[in-house]
Amino acid sequence: MARWVGLIGWPVEHSRSPLMHNAAFAARGLDWQYVLLPTSPDQLQAALDQIRSGELAGANVTIPHKSAVMPLLDEIDPAAEAIRAVNTIVPRDGRLIGCNTDAIGFTRALSEMAVDVNGKPCAVLGTGGAARAVAHALKGLGGSVTIYAREVTEARALIGLDGQARSLDDLDQLERETILVVNATPVGMAPNVDASPWPDDVRFPASALALDLIYNPRRTRWMAQAERSGARSTNGLAMLIYQGAAAFEMWTGHTAPVDVMRAALEAEV
Ligand code: NAP
C-alpha cells in the first residue's frame, strides 16, 4: 500500500521537496509519495492528526509552523530543542517526534566542501530558524560564531555567552580571518534577486567561503559580491539535499540516494 509524507506549511507551492523526495522513493523502489500540504495555522492540529492516525507516514514542516508545532508534539529531539525549530516529524510507536535536519544538512554540506571550521571565526547573517540551525551546527564543529542581525538582542539570545552578536550595520568589523560567512536571511531570494544583505562598500575576507542558504536563484547577488572581493561562494543546494536526505532516512529507514536527489533538483532549480 502506498505511503504518504508531505510538507506542512503556508504557503508551500514554491517547494522543490516533492521533486527530490519522489525521485528518491522511486530510486529505492519504495511505494511512497511526497505531497504538498498547504496548512493554515488553524489547520495545523488537523494535519498532525493525519500523522497520528497513520494517514501520513511523516512530514516536513516549514514557515510559519516550525516553532508553533513544537508544543503540539509528544517529544522534541535535542537538536530541534536547541534550535527551537522543528522541520521534520517522525511518528514512532504512536508518538510524534519533532526533529530538525537543517543542522545535519548544513554539517554534511560543509563536510562535502571540505570546510574545517574548528577553532576558526565564522559569521552568520540572520536569527531565524535556519540561522539557529547553522549556529548550532557550527558550534558543534568547534567554530567561533558571530551572529549579524537587524535585532541584536535576539542575536545575543541565540548565540548565548560563548559567541558574539553584532548589528548588520557593523559588517565592516568582520574579522579578516573569518573562514566562513553564511547568509541565513531570505534577502536576495527570487523574485527579489537584486537585493543583498551586504553593503556594497564592505569587502569580504578574501580567504572566506560565502555560503548562501538561498538556492533560487542559484547565484545570488550576495554570492557575486563575495566573488568580487576574491572570496569563494556557494549556494544552499547541498544543504537542501542533505537535510532532505536525513528526513528520508528517518521516515523510511533506507539510506538516501543523495546523487538521485541532487540530479532531480539540478534539473529543475
Ligand atoms: P526566518 O525564520 O523567517 O528568518 C529570517 C531571518 O532573516 C530573520 O533573522 C530576519 O530578521 C532576517 N531578515 C529578513 N529580512 C531581512 C532584511 N531585509 N534584512 C536583514 N535581515 C532580514 O527564515 P528561515 O527559515 O530562517 O530561512 C532563512 C533563509 O534560509 C531563507 O532564504 C530560506 O529559504 C533559507 N533556507 C535554506 C535551507 C536550505 O536547505 N538551503 C534551509 C532552511 C532555510 P528579523 O528577525 O529581524 O525579521
Side-chain angles (χ1 to χ4, degrees):
M1 199 176 74
R3 308 201 73 190
W4 300 80
V5 290
L7 176 62
I8 296 173
W10 186 260
V12 287
E13 289 70 27
H14 62 281
S15 172
R16 303 295 207 282
S17 291
L19 206 69
M20 166 171 80
H21 282 290
N22 287 328
F25 293 143
R28 287 285 177 259
L30 297 170
D31 188 9
W32 287 55
Q33 283 292 323
Y34 189 108
V35 292
L36 296 176
L37 301 166
T39 306
S40 64
D42 60 342
Q43 295 168 327
L44 183 57
Q45 184 63 63
L48 299 181
D49 290 344
Q50 283 187 287
I51 312 178
R52 276 189 207 286
S53 70
E55 259 177 273
L56 290 172
N60 280 138
V61 182
T62 188
I63 292 169
H65 303 314
K66 282 183 169 186
S67 299
V69 78
M70 294 178 75
L72 306 177
L73 301 173
D74 301 313
E75 194 180 318
I76 305 294
D77 82 1
E81 191 75 59
I83 296 163
R84 290 184 279 124
V86 160
N87 79 336
T88 302
I89 301 174
V90 182
R92 202 174 293 145
D93 304 325
R95 291 166 60 76
L96 299 189
I97 320 295
C99 308
N100 190 306
T101 63
D102 278 340
I104 305 170
F106 179 79
T107 301
R108 288 194 196 168
L110 271 194
S111 154
E112 184 182 77
M113 290 179 265
V115 178
D116 179 7
V117 298
N118 191 15
K120 312 258 177 53
C122 305
V124 179
L125 316 186
T127 59
R132 298 199 296 272
V134 167
H136 178 75
L138 288 174
K139 283 205 259 181
L141 294 167
S144 167
V145 182
T146 302
I147 303 285
Y148 287 85
R150 292 197 285 204
E151 188 39 73
V152 180
T153 314
E154 169 65 13
R156 288 223 168 85
L158 160 62
I159 200 71
L161 297 175
D162 56 346
Q164 295 198 70
R166 291 184 186 148
S167 162
L168 276 169
D169 296 332
D170 295 332
L171 277 167
D172 55 351
Q173 292 176 24
L174 191 82
E175 285 73 14
R176 302 321 288 169
E177 305 73 38
T178 300
I179 182 174
L180 176 72
V181 189
V182 180
N183 176 29
T185 79
V187 184
M189 189 161 68
N192 302 315
V193 296
D194 293 330
S196 164
W198 197 273
D200 270 323
D201 58 352
V202 174
R203 290 185 66 76
F204 284 70
S207 55
L209 171 68
L211 196 166
D212 203 331
L213 298 193
I214 294 171
Y215 46 86
N216 182 18
R218 284 199 201 186
R219 188 165 185 268
T220 61
R221 175 154 179 260
W222 185 74
M223 290 167 63
Q225 286 174 300
E227 284 168 20
R228 272 200 298 278
S229 298
R232 292 168 301 136
S233 80
T234 189
N235 65 25
L237 208 59
M239 175 174 168
L240 179 71
I241 293 163
Y242 285 115
Q243 64 77 28
F248 179 98
E249 290 171 359
M250 289 174 179
W251 295 323
T252 67
H254 290 258
T255 307
V258 170
D259 291 344
V260 170
M261 297 168 89
R262 188 190 310 272
L265 284 175
E266 282 183 345
E268 286 289 325
V269 172

